[in-house]
Amino acid sequence: MRRSRQEATIRGWLEALPDDVVRVRPVLNVGLVGALASTGEFEGIEARLGDAERCLGGTADMVVVDETQFRSLPGAIEMYRAALALIAGDLPRAVAHARRVLELAPEDDHLERGAAAALLGLASWTGGDLEAGYQAYVACVAEFRLVGHIADILGCSIAMADIRSSKAASATPCASTSRPCSW
């Protein structure tokens, strides 16, 4: 369902469950974080990430059904922290969290690695490093292609085109001045 961008449905299902049921299931809890973030709802995400970390640290009761997803939670938590930092405008922290995802994610976790690359691309682009942003999106698209996330590939391709357009515009005469060209 995530591949076909049905996060709103996932969110509805998870929000229909009692919150105390979701919070002791770290995979579901982080799944809800993803659904919330994808629908533009960021309030409460940090608390949910903290709950998931406590489960990982063994300091909370938890229920785990999907061991594979459970093992990928450290990277997922870092990924959402990178996104929160990016939204807050803290580019260095966003980059640090995204790089941590790449350290934690196995080579074959193309979705997590692609998401981290996209966050690095967005942080670089936002910070004005267009070439680094473009190259990060190239890496992102390559990862997403391996897992068939077509909607995300298209979105990243649009970002890549925007970056190239921005780069071309900044290379034109008078683009670096505040006054219009006279020709």
Side-chain angles (χ1 to χ4, degrees):
M1 292 186 73
R2 288 187 323 200
R3 183 178 305 136
S4 59
R5 307 305 298 179
Q6 295 183 45
E7 287 90 351
T9 302
I10 294 169
R11 178 181 177 176
W13 289 345
L14 293 174
E15 287 180 334
L17 296 171
D19 196 49
D20 57 332
V21 170
V22 175
R23 287 192 183 272
V24 298
R25 288 166 173 78
V27 172
L28 288 182
N29 202 16
V30 173
L32 180 54
V33 164
L36 290 168
S38 72
T39 57
E41 177 66 43
F42 300 101
E43 188 174 324
I45 284 181
E46 185 58 47
R48 288 191 176 281
L49 294 174
D51 290 339
E53 280 182 322
R54 280 186 288 286
C55 288
L56 290 174
T59 60
D61 291 334
M62 70 174 165
V63 177
V64 174
V65 176
D66 187 332
E67 288 291 333
T68 302
Q69 288 293 312
F70 180 73
R71 285 191 299 277
S72 73
L73 285 181
I77 291 167
E78 288 292 326
M79 180 183 60
Y80 291 118
R81 287 227 165 93
L84 290 174
L86 195 56
I87 290 164
D90 188 343
L91 299 181
R93 195 166 56 101
V95 168
H97 283 295
R99 286 187 177 146
R100 181 76 176 128
V101 174
L102 295 173
E103 292 170 10
L104 293 169
E107 290 295 320
D108 64 347
D109 190 341
H110 304 295
L111 184 57
E112 203 162 275
R113 297 181 75 74
L119 289 165
L120 287 170
L122 193 51
S124 295
W125 185 11
T126 301
D129 189 343
L130 300 180
E131 189 57 32
Y134 185 85
Q135 292 307 318
Y137 275 114
V138 167
C140 171
V141 167
E143 295 286 352
F144 284 165
R145 183 174 288 130
L146 293 170
V147 290
H149 275 248
I150 304 303
D152 295 309
I153 292 169
L154 293 173
C156 291
S157 298
I158 291 168
M160 292 166 68
D162 284 347
I163 289 171
R164 285 299 192 230
S165 295
S166 296
K167 191 171 183 177
S170 68
T172 60
C174 303
S176 62
T177 68
S178 60
R179 57 188 172 79
C181 289
S182 58
W183 31 280

